[in-house]
């Protein structure tokens, strides 16, 4: 982390977990555990049906609630989709875009990720933009080329002013939900590479202000070591975000 230059962000991705009642109970449990821990932003991105309940439970706390995806059109014949305008109407500030599970299971491409990103930014939302390589790409030694290309394609048409509302989450696909984790050195190298690409696109000064999270199975046991790296500015947390004690330990590591 480099808190002198950019904000640390610890975000939980609940994925397809928690009913509204369960989300309320969880937020009420964790609120006192993270109260006053303001050296990082704390976000939980929730399933659509859970967002309103989670937001109500989080009122008056240092916890912010986001969404897990958003469509790129404002309205229309897109059955099952939710627009940025709809999310803004209920007070959602943050949204995850391009998560590997969306890319793998729901045919998301860099093109649609780019469209969703621009739509969310145009609506005044803050984007957690996910990118990362699969195992075969890591083993083939082309990780830097892959994440570099994703960065360029996913941010095409996003200017430096809009970039202020983008958080990038580097999530090696081979480390998500597998229990595997990139070593702190691997995470630092790849997050640093993403920052180099941003510097080429926007200039070094702008690149230094962008928060880059690590998002591959960060948990209470490995968070401190990962967050100690200068280019790792937080975490996008999966399984550990469903357990108050584990998530709080990650927030503590970010303090």
């Amino acid at each position: 982390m480099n808190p002198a230059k950019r904000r640390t962000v610890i975000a939980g991705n609940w994925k397809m977990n928690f009913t509204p009642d369960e989300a309320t109970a969880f937020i009420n449990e964790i609120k006192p555990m993270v109260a006053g821990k303001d050296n990082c932003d704390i976000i939980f991105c929730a399933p659509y049906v859970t967002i309103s309940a989670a937001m109500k439970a989080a009122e008056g706390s240092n916890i912010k609630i986001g969404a897990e995806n958003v469509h790129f059109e404002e309205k229309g014949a897109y059955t099952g989709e939710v627009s940025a305008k709809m999310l803004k109407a209920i007070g959602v500030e943050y949204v995850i875009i391009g998560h590997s599970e969306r890319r793998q299971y729901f045919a998301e491409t860099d093109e649609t990720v780019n469209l969703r990103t621009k739509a969310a930014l145009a609506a005044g939302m803050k984007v957690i933009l996910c990118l990362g390589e699969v195992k075969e790409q890591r083993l083939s030694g082309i990780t830097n080329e892959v994440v570099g290309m994703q960065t360029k394609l996913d941010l095409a048409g996003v200017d430096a002013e809009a970039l202020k509302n983008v958080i990038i989450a580097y999530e090696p696909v081979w480390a998500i939900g597998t229990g595997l984790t990139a070593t702190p050195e691997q995470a630092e190298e790849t997050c640093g590479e993403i920052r180099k690409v941003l510097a080429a696109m926007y200039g070094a000064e702008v690149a230094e202000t962008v928060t880059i999270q690590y998002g591959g199975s960060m948990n209470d046991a490995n968070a401190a070591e990962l967050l100690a790296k200068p280019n790792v500015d937080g975490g996008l947390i999966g399984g550990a975000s469903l357990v108050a004690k584990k998530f709080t330990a990650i927030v503590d590591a970010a303090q």
Side-chain angles (χ1 to χ4, degrees):
M1 300 182 300
N2 192 336
K5 293 186 177 181
R6 47 195 174 261
R7 186 70 174 162
T8 302
V9 179
I10 305 297
N13 177 17
W14 285 348
K15 306 188 179 183
M16 198 171 70
N17 292 287
F18 288 162
T19 65
D21 286 347
E22 290 168 342
T24 298
F26 178 86
I27 295 295
N28 286 334
E29 177 187 4
I30 201 170
K31 272 194 300 188
M33 299 170 70
V34 299
K37 297 178 180 180
D38 298 325
N39 284 356
C40 65
D41 291 337
I42 300 170
I43 307 162
F44 289 107
C45 293
Y48 295 130
V49 299
T50 300
I51 289 173
S52 292
M55 290 183 70
K56 184 175 181 180
E59 283 180 1
S61 74
N62 58 339
I63 296 171
K64 299 177 182 179
I65 304 299
E68 297 178 11
N69 194 31
V70 64
H71 197 262
F72 47 80
E73 294 290 354
E74 185 175 312
K75 60 182 179 180
Y78 302 100
T79 301
E81 291 290 336
V82 174
S83 71
K85 182 179 180 180
M86 294 172 179
L87 293 174
K88 285 286 290 184
I90 60 171
V92 175
E93 183 178 358
Y94 292 87
V95 61
I96 297 172
I97 295 177
H99 192 278
S100 65
E101 290 158 4
R102 297 296 311 175
R103 296 178 189 251
Q104 180 178 357
Y105 302 130
F106 303 103
E108 287 281 355
T109 66
D110 288 312
E111 180 183 7
T112 60
V113 168
N114 175 251
L115 290 172
R116 293 175 195 269
T117 297
K118 289 189 288 190
L121 292 172
M125 301 185 73
K126 296 179 180 178
V127 171
I128 299 175
L129 173 62
C130 301
L131 49 87
E133 82 284 12
V134 300
K135 184 177 181 180
E136 292 76 16
Q137 292 166 334
R138 165 65 66 171
L139 294 176
S140 297
I142 58 171
T143 292
N144 288 351
E145 289 87 345
V146 171
V147 299
M149 184 63 70
Q150 287 178 322
T151 302
K152 293 173 184 176
L153 292 174
D154 296 350
L155 291 173
V158 175
D159 63 23
E161 185 63 26
L163 189 69
K164 293 177 181 179
N165 289 315
V166 176
I167 297 163
I168 293 179
Y170 164 56
E171 41 158 35
V173 179
W174 49 269
I176 297 169
T178 64
L180 300 173
T181 309
T183 66
E185 291 73 26
Q186 288 173 324
E188 168 64 16
E189 178 186 2
T190 308
C191 289
E193 181 63 26
I194 293 168
R195 202 174 305 283
K196 289 178 184 177
V197 175
L198 292 174
M201 295 172 68
Y202 299 100
E205 185 175 348
V206 171
E208 284 298 321
T209 67
V210 178
T211 294
I212 303 178
Q213 300 172 307
Y214 173 74
S217 295
M218 182 184 283
N219 56 48
D220 52 319
N222 60 30
E225 194 173 10
L226 286 162
L227 292 170
K229 295 299 182 181
N231 280 299
V232 179
D233 306 316
L236 181 58
I237 316 301
S241 73
L242 303 173
V243 182
K245 184 176 180 181
K246 291 183 177 182
F247 189 84
T248 300
I250 297 170
V251 172
D252 288 341
Q255 301 303 301

